[in-house]
Amino acid sequence: MNTCTRFLLSVLAAASLALAGCGRSDAPASTTAAAESAAPAADGKRAIDITADDTMKFSVTEIRAKPGEALRVTLKNKGQMPKQAMAHNWVLVKPMSDADLNAFGMKASSIAPEYLPSDRSSVIVHTKLLGGGESDTIEFNAPTTAGEYPFICTFPGHFAIMKGKLIVN
Ligand SMILES: [Cu+2]
């Protein structure tokens, strides 16, 4: 066997090993990822992944957390429509009545381009406003006071149906 042949054989061997490696890792990797998403990350922050699309719904409408728990919320807009027609954000606010939440949503959704009121005293945290395919991740600690904290999307026309609550207890 000359040097060239030996080189070719070793390349082929390496390639088939690499392919075998890919095949082996595929299925278990996705299972592991799914299992890990519910557990705290290495830095102790619990990841909460929320998606929204052109049907104007949050994939998660109820989140439970311990007082002060470190959270990492990611909102991904999986929609296809132009951002001017269909964008989403995730705005967490202090506990308030439905009427007050309605008033907050009306006010916020009237203020382009971010659709947030100038008075942010009732806003705890919020993501950016996201067009289709965009995502944003925010890290924060859950409020230390037990209660139900509403979250909404403040894009015009969305808050009445795009809402949920963070329940701290
Ligand atoms: Cu929305």
Side-chain angles (χ1 to χ4, degrees):
M1 196 185 292
N2 65 29
T3 314
C4 183
T5 310
R6 211 174 305 144
F7 172 73
L8 278 174
L9 281 173
S10 66
V11 166
L12 283 171
S16 61
L17 272 176
L19 284 172
C22 283
R24 258 201 313 276
S25 64
D26 267 350
S30 54
T31 312
T32 309
E36 274 170 1
S37 67
D43 61 6
K45 296 183 172 78
R46 181 157 59 96
I48 297 161
D49 296 324
I50 306 171
T51 60
D53 59 23
D54 295 340
T55 64
M56 294 199 289
K57 280 186 209 125
F58 283 130
S59 63
V60 175
T61 56
E62 187 177 300
I63 301 167
R64 288 178 180 273
K66 298 259 173 289
E69 184 178 356
L71 303 174
R72 177 185 293 114
V73 169
T74 298
L75 175 67
K76 180 166 174 51
N77 180 355
K78 300 198 300 181
Q80 310 280 325
M81 289 173 65
K83 189 171 183 177
Q84 312 90 274
M86 180 67 67
H88 305 296
N89 61 8
W90 187 87
V91 181
L92 179 69
V93 299
K94 292 179 177 166
M96 60 177 79
S97 69
D98 286 351
D100 285 348
L101 184 62
N102 228 43
F104 172 86
M106 292 289 282
K107 175 92 185 140
S109 63
S110 71
I111 303 172
E114 291 300 312
Y115 303 109
L116 289 168
S118 44
D119 173 8
R120 309 254 173 108
S121 58
S122 55
V123 176
I124 299 172
V125 284
H126 65 87
T127 66
K128 287 184 257 192
L129 187 71
L130 306 169
E134 296 178 334
S135 73
D136 188 27
T137 298
I138 53 173
E139 296 180 348
F140 62 99
N141 291 328
T144 51
T145 307
E148 292 192 2
Y149 296 77
F151 57 80
I152 61 173
C153 168
T154 60
F155 190 80
H158 289 198
F159 73 86
I161 50 172
M162 285 191 78
K163 60 182 172 185
K165 56 193 169 186
L166 168 69
I167 300 169
V168 177
N169 60 11

